[in-house]
Amino acid sequence: MILPIDQVDQSNAAESSASFDLMLKATEPLEPIATAVVHPCDDASLEGAIAARDNGLITPILVGPKDKINAAASKAGLDISGCEIIDAAHSHEAAKLAVSLVHEGRAQALMKGALHTDEIMGEVVHKTRGLRTERRMSHVFVLDVPTYPKPLLISDAAINIFPDLETKADIIQNAIELGHALGVDLPKVAILSAVETIYPKIPSTVEAAALCKMAERGQITGGLLDGPLAFDNAVSKAAAETKGIVSEVAGDPDILIAPDLEAGNMIAKQLMYLAGADSAGLVLGARVPVMLTSRADGTLSRVVSAALAQLMVHYRQGKAYL
């Protein structure tokens, strides 16, 4: 049984990666998931995939130019003798073949290697051969912030630039689903804006109110929503109380929903680079989870992203995709 990661002891809040350590421990009883690693032709992407394998998270299928993959493994001193390699002439072909492995039932997740995001996502969102569902795809950062007592999910900071109301509903539903996979029965969702009151000149405040009403009407399910909330009263009970905000979400969110990609990206990266947060993340809303790691991500980020994908896959096996 997966241990709910919202039960992190608050005494560990100042300990780096405490939440991630608990998350990795929660995956120990789970079977590794078959994962197509797309174009793993540099040290970082190959090391991440092999580390995820060695932690029992994935069974990697390496898709890309065989000679380049073997050269990268040799340079990094990695043993990939037990890994299946599917030869591809270049990164575009590797992305196409990786997506086809999902259609064939051979891969349960995708992991980005040494290629541009638009190359892999171009195949994932392709209208005829891609991995679309009725849900809009979105990215969810999962942050382990030393000063916050539990994992903090932030969305969308990587895919949807200026999401409209319907897209935001899907962004929230994707994040709630990941929260459930992480063991949080009723994720608390703070919908962010610049202020905590509805102000028609700031459209995100109106959309936040509409999203909360959509949740009341069952158009968004599985979470507890509140908004608009400014960042300070979203994450700080003291700030919320000072403003007179009465809310079960304010000061204790599991999920932060940004008004647009720019805001979400800046919030996430400020927490990483100024607050010392560790990060991982997934693209959700496709037929399978996509680990969309950055070239700047270290091995921990890649391993925890694999853990998120593994938890997501096992969660979906027990519950039909919404």
Side-chain angles (χ1 to χ4, degrees), residues 186-263:
L186 188 69
K188 296 178 181 179
V189 183
I191 306 170
L192 299 180
S193 185
V195 295
E196 65 280 350
T197 54
I198 298 169
Y199 184 51
K201 291 185 178 180
I202 304 179
S204 61
T205 67
V206 179
E207 290 184 345
L211 290 163
C212 291
K213 183 57 69 173
M214 290 172 75
E216 289 182 17
R217 296 291 187 265
Q219 293 174 268
I220 300 171
T221 61
L224 181 62
L225 278 60
D226 198 4
L229 291 170
F231 184 82
D232 57 347
N233 48 58
V235 300
S236 167
K237 284 187 181 295
E241 290 171 358
T242 299
K243 293 287 185 71
I245 298 171
V246 179
S247 168
E248 294 183 58
V249 174
D252 189 38
D254 300 289
I255 299 167
L256 300 178
I257 299 298
D260 55 44
L261 182 145
E262 291 174 314

Side-chain angles (χ1 to χ4, degrees), residues 10-303:
Q10 292 201 18
S11 65
N12 288 333
E15 181 182 342
S16 179
S17 302
S19 297
F20 281 179
D21 289 344
L22 186 57
M23 190 187 305
L24 290 170
K25 187 174 180 61
T27 66
E28 289 178 0
L30 303 178
E31 291 295 321
I33 57 172
T35 299
V37 187
V38 187
H39 204 255
C41 297
D42 65 354
D43 296 359
S45 58
L46 198 55
E47 285 173 359
I50 298 306
R53 178 200 66 182
D54 293 346
N55 277 273
L57 304 170
I58 69 171
T59 300
I61 303 170
L62 308 178
V63 186
K66 188 173 183 179
D67 290 344
K68 289 185 177 180
I69 292 172
N70 284 324
S74 178
K75 179 181 177 182
L78 298 171
D79 180 10
I80 61 170
S81 57
C83 297
E84 180 181 1
I85 300 178
I86 296 179
D87 194 25
H90 44 67
S91 57
H92 287 285
E93 184 181 3
K96 185 177 179 179
L97 288 174
V99 168
S100 71
L101 291 176
V102 175
H103 287 293
E104 294 167 12
R106 295 181 58 195
Q108 298 167 285
L110 300 179
M111 176 183 282
K112 175 178 174 283
L115 75 169
H116 293 295
T117 296
D118 58 356
E119 290 182 86
I120 183 170
M121 289 306 300
E123 287 298 323
V124 171
V125 304
H126 195 279
K127 289 184 178 180
T128 57
R129 61 175 182 264
L131 302 175
R132 291 170 178 258
T133 68
E134 293 183 358
R135 184 87 58 79
R136 184 66 175 258
M137 295 181 203
S138 60
H139 182 272
V140 184
F141 270 117
V142 179
L143 300 183
D144 191 350
V145 186
T147 54
Y148 199 69
K150 57 183 177 179
L152 188 61
L153 281 60
I154 298 177
S155 192
D156 182 343
I159 292 182
N160 296 287
I161 300 173
F162 295 113
D164 59 18
L165 184 65
E166 290 184 348
T167 301
K168 285 184 177 180
D170 282 349
I171 288 170
I172 292 171
Q173 198 68 68
N174 287 337
I176 288 173
E177 189 179 41
L178 182 56
H180 289 166
L182 298 179
V184 185
D185 291 334
L186 188 69
K188 296 178 181 179
V189 183
I191 306 170
L192 299 180
S193 185
V195 295
E196 65 280 350
T197 54
I198 298 169
Y199 184 51
K201 291 185 178 180
I202 304 179
S204 61
T205 67
V206 179
E207 290 184 345
L211 290 163
C212 291
K213 183 57 69 173
M214 290 172 75
E216 289 182 17
R217 296 291 187 265
Q219 293 174 268
I220 300 171
T221 61
L224 181 62
L225 278 60
D226 198 4
L229 291 170
F231 184 82
D232 57 347
N233 48 58
V235 300
S236 167
K237 284 187 181 295
E241 290 171 358
T242 299
K243 293 287 185 71
I245 298 171
V246 179
S247 168
E248 294 183 58
V249 174
D252 189 38
D254 300 289
I255 299 167
L256 300 178
I257 299 298
D260 55 44
L261 182 145
E262 291 174 314
N265 194 278
M266 283 186 271
I267 291 168
K269 289 182 178 176
Q270 283 167 359
L271 290 172
M272 293 175 206
Y273 287 92
L274 294 179
D278 289 314
S279 69
L282 286 181
V283 173
L284 299 173
R287 288 181 56 180
V288 298
V290 181
M291 293 162 252
L292 201 62
T293 51
S294 165
R295 284 172 292 179
D297 289 335
T299 300
L300 175 64
S301 178
R302 295 170 190 273
V303 168

